[in-house]
Amino acid sequence: MMLLPPALPHPSFTMRVLPSTLPLALLFLLPFAAASNGQGPPEFRFDITEIDQIDVGYGLQLTDVNGDGKTDIVLADKKTFQWYENPTWKKHLLAENLTQRDNVCLTARDIDGDGKCEIAVGGQWNYRESVKDGAVFYLDAPNERTQTWKPIRLHNEPSTHRMHWVKTGMDASGQATYQLLVKPLRGKGSVDGDGPGLKLLAYQRPQDPTQPWKQTIVCDFLHLSHNFHPVNWDDDPEEEIIVAAKEGVWHFDRVGNKWNATQLTDQFAGEIRDGQLPNGKRFIVTVEPKHGHRAAVYVQPEGNGRWEPLKVLSDQLKDGHALAVADYLGVGSDQIVVGWRAMNTPGVPGIRLFTPLDQQGKAWRETIVSDARVAVEDIKAADVNHDGKIDIVAAARQTKNLVIFFNTTE
């Protein structure tokens, strides 16, 4: 584990205000209001710790693996799945060499209420291929979770790419129930977004996970869907999902055995997360298009219909690949972390934190979190050291490091 020096210049001095259509006089006041004590959101401050050198870092999850009440880090690397035990960040191997080709994704969440996560993983990654490659496994945990876990192969659609445990309701005893949702990047036999739609499947875990898992189709009409995210926007215990795809962002709500689809935007999107503005309104943030150059915020309309474009945070991303939304500053509303890796589009990678400076999110402050040091493949956010502040964990491909940005904001 290596403690890295902070980026220079310090992020509290590296910011710019991204105004919208605001009066000129107000634009001059915004930077001063943001920096004044008690009159605006504080600047994000952090300490950086590199906890491992990795190969790719395809996917991250932050969860309690061993039931000790601490938030551990779970990582999908090139040929291994592993977890890092909080607080020493000792690495434990979960599984390795499950497929001939690379791993690509994982999901980890406590789905049975015992305080310890369950893990599913995806592999046999082949970016262009859409007929035969892909793999899905459930990892059956041993009694001693620092030992390797037993992989159980499940059915898969080609082009396995992202997965989540999604809460589907409550059983008769009041225990939450979950399904494993697995989304391919492409439809079977499709080429660059043309052809059959991808099949996003929901898997029902049986009591004995070695027995067949029943699957149902959530969606079968989208193309080139890079990511999706669980949300809960209504008053029932079930989670919904928002999906980013060539056809824009879509919301899927499970009603009975059917998932109802609603289109939120029509711009090709690769990454998707949701959050809350200072005025309480819900927003979504995207990276557009897949591996794109633009980070855009949309706000929920008063009635039905497409979500309203609110702000383009940046149109200078180089291969945008990750988003993480949370209240990093402890102000009661959310800020947005955007990461890009500068791989397919050469350039300097980066991580930026965007903070709304007014109630409506018309103007935002951009803060540098990292630059060439971390070429982001995935980002997740959680309070990993349990000090009441949300930290950032980033896995990076080109720079081959796993890094924690410990939040020290006052």
Side-chain angles (χ1 to χ4, degrees), residues 45 77 91-92 99 121 128-129 149 156 180 193 196 221 233 237 251 263 283 312 332 363 372 382 390:
R45 296 177 181 273
D77 209 357
K91 179 165 63 177
H92 303 289
T99 57
V121 300
R128 291 289 179 188
E129 205 281 326
W149 297 30
N156 68 276
L180 173 65
F221 61 85
W233 290 352
H251 175 266
Q263 188 172 12
F283 69 81
V312 174
I390 303 298

Side-chain angles (χ1 to χ4, degrees), residues 330-406:
V331 296
S333 57
D334 291 322
Q335 302 85 50
I336 299 168
V337 168
V338 181
W340 63 97
R341 59 185 185 174
M343 184 178 77
N344 297 322
T345 303
V348 178
I351 303 173
R352 301 292 186 269
L353 184 142
F354 293 91
T355 303
L357 296 179
D358 56 68
Q359 291 291 306
Q360 295 76 30
K362 298 290 187 180
W364 296 68
R365 182 180 68 208
E366 177 182 349
T367 301
I368 295 176
V369 178
S370 182
D371 41 36
R373 179 178 300 163
V374 183
V376 170
E377 189 75 10
D378 195 17
I379 287 178
K380 291 294 187 293
D383 180 9
V384 298
N385 58 357
H386 299 276
D387 65 352
K389 300 173 184 178
I390 303 298
D391 309 300
I392 300 167
V393 181
R397 180 194 291 254
Q398 290 96 284
T399 50
K400 297 187 179 300
N401 48 356
L402 179 61
V403 176
I404 304 175
F405 299 86
F406 286 106

Side-chain angles (χ1 to χ4, degrees), residues 13 19 37 58 69 77 102 124 127 136 179 199-200 203 214 225 231 261 267 271-272 299 305 335 345-346 349 354:
F13 299 104
N37 291 332
Y58 279 108
D77 209 357
D102 281 11
Q124 192 62 9
Y127 178 70
V136 176
Q179 289 184 329
K199 286 186 180 179
L200 198 166
Y203 296 68
K214 181 182 178 181
S225 173
V231 298
Q267 296 297 306
E271 306 298 324
I272 179 68
V299 66
Q335 302 85 50
T345 303
F354 293 91

Side-chain angles (χ1 to χ4, degrees), residues 27 93 102 116 121 131 152 162 169 175 178 188 204 261 264 283 286 297 308 338-339 342-343 363 365 367 385 402:
L27 298 186
L93 181 68
D102 281 11
K116 295 175 283 190
V121 300
V131 176
I152 299 171
R162 294 290 184 266
Q175 176 68 41
Y178 293 84
K188 186 174 183 178
Q204 186 66 49
L264 306 185
F283 69 81
T286 61
V297 179
E308 300 164 4
V338 181
M343 184 178 77
R365 182 180 68 208
T367 301
N385 58 357
L402 179 61

Side-chain angles (χ1 to χ4, degrees), residues 80-83 91-96 146-149:
T80 60
F81 296 99
Q82 59 228 32
W83 68 283
K91 179 165 63 177
H92 303 289
L93 181 68
L94 293 163
E96 63 181 334
T146 59
Q147 304 301 309
T148 56
W149 297 30

Side-chain angles (χ1 to χ4, degrees), residues 41-363:
E43 272 287 350
F44 182 62
R45 296 177 181 273
F46 53 89
D47 292 328
I48 310 172
T49 300
E50 181 179 291
I51 66 170
D52 200 9
Q53 286 285 300
I54 60 177
D55 287 324
V56 176
Y58 279 108
L60 285 166
Q61 290 286 291
L62 307 181
T63 186
D64 188 352
V65 177
N66 57 356
D68 64 356
K70 298 181 176 66
T71 301
D72 306 304
I73 299 172
V74 189
L75 178 73
D77 209 357
K78 182 180 176 69
K79 300 299 290 184
T80 60
F81 296 99
Q82 59 228 32
W83 68 283
Y84 298 83
E85 187 173 359
N86 191 341
T88 63
W89 308 118
K90 181 179 180 180
K91 179 165 63 177
H92 303 289
L93 181 68
L94 293 163
E96 63 181 334
N97 298 320
L98 296 185
T99 57
Q100 181 181 8
R101 300 182 66 88
D102 281 11
N103 302 321
V104 69
C105 61
L106 84 166
T107 182
R109 188 173 184 179
D110 177 13
I111 67 170
D112 58 12
D114 67 352
K116 295 175 283 190
C117 72
E118 282 67 47
I119 298 176
V121 300
Q124 192 62 9
W125 175 234
N126 191 344
Y127 178 70
R128 291 289 179 188
E129 205 281 326
S130 65
V131 176
K132 60 180 177 60
D133 283 333
V136 176
F137 297 86
Y138 174 74
L139 299 185
D140 197 18
N143 290 331
E144 176 48 65
R145 288 183 164 227
T146 59
Q147 304 301 309
T148 56
W149 297 30
K150 176 185 175 182
I152 299 171
R153 184 75 182 258
L154 307 180
H155 166 81
N156 68 276
E157 288 292 306
S159 195
T160 305
H161 193 251
R162 294 290 184 266
M163 55 177 55
H164 284 288
W165 293 112
V166 175
K167 186 177 180 181
T168 55
M170 309 290 287
D171 64 19
S173 68
Q175 176 68 41
T177 58
Y178 293 84
Q179 289 184 329
L180 173 65
L181 269 61
V182 181
K183 185 192 64 58
L185 176 68
R186 307 171 188 272
K188 186 174 183 178
S190 67
V191 179
D192 289 333
D194 295 322
L198 60 89
K199 286 186 180 179
L200 198 166
L201 297 181
Y203 296 68
Q204 186 66 49
R205 188 183 74 154
Q207 190 71 28
D208 178 357
T210 64
Q211 296 302 303
W213 293 44
K214 181 182 178 181
Q215 300 118 39
T216 55
I217 296 175
V218 176
C219 163
D220 62 1
F221 61 85
L222 296 176
H223 297 81
L224 289 179
S225 173
H226 195 263
N227 219 328
F228 74 115
H229 184 62
V231 298
N232 194 343
W233 290 352
D234 53 27
D235 56 2
D236 62 37
E238 298 180 354
E239 292 176 337
E240 311 98 59
I241 59 170
I242 45 177
V243 182
K246 181 181 178 182
E247 292 84 358
V249 176
W250 289 71
H251 175 266
F252 291 87
D253 186 9
R254 184 172 177 263
V255 179
N257 293 321
K258 180 182 178 182
W259 290 80
N260 294 332
T262 302
Q263 188 172 12
L264 306 185
T265 74
D266 58 9
Q267 296 297 306
F268 188 176
E271 306 298 324
I272 179 68
R273 293 292 186 271
D274 72 317
Q276 186 180 67
L277 291 170
N279 64 4
K281 293 198 72 172
R282 181 174 291 120
F283 69 81
I284 56 174
V285 58
T286 61
V287 170
E288 298 171 351
K290 176 176 66 69
H291 298 165
H293 64 281
R294 182 173 56 249
V297 179
Y298 299 81
V299 66
Q300 188 173 19
E302 294 298 331
N304 297 323
R306 303 286 173 84
W307 286 39
E308 300 164 4
L310 177 65
K311 185 68 184 176
V312 174
L313 300 175
S314 176
D315 60 2
Q316 299 299 312
L317 309 183
K318 303 290 187 182
D319 201 11
H321 211 259
L323 296 167
V325 176
D327 184 7
Y328 302 96
L329 305 181
V331 296
S333 57
D334 291 322
Q335 302 85 50
I336 299 168
V337 168
V338 181
W340 63 97
R341 59 185 185 174
M343 184 178 77
N344 297 322
T345 303
V348 178
I351 303 173
R352 301 292 186 269
L353 184 142
F354 293 91
T355 303
L357 296 179
D358 56 68
Q359 291 291 306
Q360 295 76 30
K362 298 290 187 180

